[in-house]
Amino acid sequence: MIAIHNLNKSFGRLGVLKGIDCCFDQGGTISAILGPNGSGKTTLIKSILGMVLPDSGRIEVFGRDIRRQHSYRDRISYLPQIARFPENLRVHELIAMVQDLHKRPGRPEPLIHRFGLEPWLDKPLGTLSGGTRQKVNLVLAFMYDNPILILDEPTAGLDPVAIIRLKEMLEEARAAGKIILLTTHIMSLVEDLADEVVFLLDGQVRFRDSVAALKAAFDAASVERAIASLLLQNGHASSGMQAGAPVSEPSKC
Amino acid sequence: MGKILKYTLYDLLRSRSLLFYFGFYLLFTFGLFWLSGDLQKVLVSLMNVVLVLVPLIATMFGVMYYYNSREFTELLLALPLPRRDIFLGQYAGLAGSMALALLLGVGVPFLLYGLAASALVGQFLLLLGAGVVLTFIFSGMAFFIALRNDNRIRGFGLAILVWLLFAVAYDGALLLALALLRDYPLEKFALGASLFNPIDLSRILIMLKLDVAALMGFTGAVFRKFLGTGLGSLVAAAVLLLWVLGPLGAIRMVAEKKDF
């Protein structure tokens, strides 16, 4: 459903994405997009959403080139990294607004109940704490039954109970056959939820395989250690290993 | 665009900064009436404040609003909406809410002090019209500058520089040019130069409608001869419209190509 072909993007002289080729077409899969800071995770996600315009390459969503298109986003749910909303709108007004802009009603009520947001519905968004804002952010992202779900650091600011709720929601979304892309720095979340890891380094996909395969490839007990080994491996060009060589062939479209 | 405009208005009309802006005009205009009951004098004093303050506040507010709503804009960009609708809606909401604060803040005291029964209705409407147009022009320029500059400090600096250029430096440079070239016939040059600065153009248009126009001397007569005619008024209105449309087109162009 998402096909990325030879995607390149630079910001000034800094090349962020360098010939990315990958597909996300398996429903019911949680793909964790990982990589160090500045590796291009957010740029890749924003390119799929049309927020970052590629220098070259092509992205197809639902079989159609997304260039100059906007209607395809109606079937993608997105959770941005930073939850900041118009300060003077109230929570229920924001939820109504997003539904109004989608031109179709979502189902926010079960999510409001799940995160215990009822007491906050009538409060201006500017008065909410960071964690509560993130819960509102999650309601906005999950209130539509869309086939694609893109989450950028979904656990930011959440308390442990809310994280458990989020994990439940992600498992339900996977069971419903959705394609879920997730970026996170919380490796336990990857370990618990992800079906596959897409590891970006220097703007390229350096590894793409299941979590078990990642751990096996580096003989590591945890995802965290496997990722550390992967990074070290790519930083040791002089040790005979070619820097930048993928340790697992990224699955192309 | 309409929906984004509606929600931007909804948000901004409840913001403390805008309430403060409205309150300032309300108190200031009431204060002027309290000090002098003469509508004409109040109008002239108000003109001097409106022509400097409106562009300054519109500039500051325009930059601040863009930077403060950046993350929310990203959320909107992920919705099935064309970029044009998002940015033009936000701009229209921003300028519209400020224009509304000006109209009500100045308009209410004038109405209470018997403007409707006086002969100055036309001049008053011209002042308010100029204030509204300047709001749209300067908030548009500020929005464009902020859109082009991700660095907030640079964006703020450039926006203030633009305001300074139009509100202060342009007049200084023009006066210097007129003084240096005083041996030449400069009336047409002065007339032409005023069209390139929306603040000057608004000031001249308002002053021509007030008795103080006599103070403008020979140049004033030339302005009156041109801008006082139907064609002149039409040219002035067209130039002001271009000043509004220019930043609007620039916002649209940059928004289509920008990475967020």
Side-chain angles (χ1 to χ4, degrees), chain B residues 169-231:
Chain B
Y170 191 90
D171 284 357
L174 192 62
L175 277 174
L176 195 70
L178 292 176
L180 288 174
L181 303 169
R182 61 182 174 276
D183 296 336
Y184 300 91
L186 290 168
E187 289 75 20
K188 282 186 182 163
F189 166 71
L191 186 65
S194 69
L195 296 178
F196 289 98
N197 184 343
I199 300 181
D200 280 354
L201 188 57
S202 304
R203 183 181 287 123
I204 292 164
L205 281 175
I206 298 165
M207 282 179 77
L208 286 178
K209 297 281 179 199
L210 296 169
D211 289 346
V212 286
L215 297 173
M216 287 167 72
F218 181 62
T219 314
V222 175
F223 280 133
R224 173 159 278 176
K225 200 174 150 196
F226 177 68
L227 294 172
T229 62
L231 178 71

Side-chain angles (χ1 to χ4, degrees), chain A residues 9 11 46 49-53 70-71 73-74 76 78 80 82 84-90 93-94 96-98 100-103 137 140, chain B residues 3-4 6-7 10-12 14-16 67-72 74-83 86 152 255-260:
Chain A
K9 179 66 190 174
F11 293 108
K46 286 185 170 180
L49 289 158
M51 291 154 75
V52 166
L53 309 172
H70 61 267
S71 53
R73 292 197 286 262
D74 191 35
I76 300 180
Y78 170 59
I82 303 168
R84 276 194 66 181
F85 307 112
E87 295 194 345
N88 306 295
L89 285 187
R90 295 172 198 284
E93 288 171 344
L94 176 76
M97 174 188 136
V98 171
D100 189 15
L101 294 173
H102 265 286
K103 294 180 193 156
N137 209 8
L140 298 179
Chain B
K3 284 180 182 173
I4 300 285
K6 182 177 91 180
Y7 289 107
Y10 219 54
D11 175 40
L12 284 176
R14 282 184 280 183
S15 87
R16 268 191 212 154
Y67 288 132
N68 281 345
S69 57
R70 218 198 120 98
E71 287 87 6
F72 181 62
E74 287 185 13
L75 183 83
L76 293 178
L77 284 164
L79 297 179
L81 301 166
R83 287 185 171 201
I86 295 170
R152 289 173 189 228
E256 290 293 337
K257 292 179 184 163
K258 189 175 163 65
D259 294 314
F260 289 90

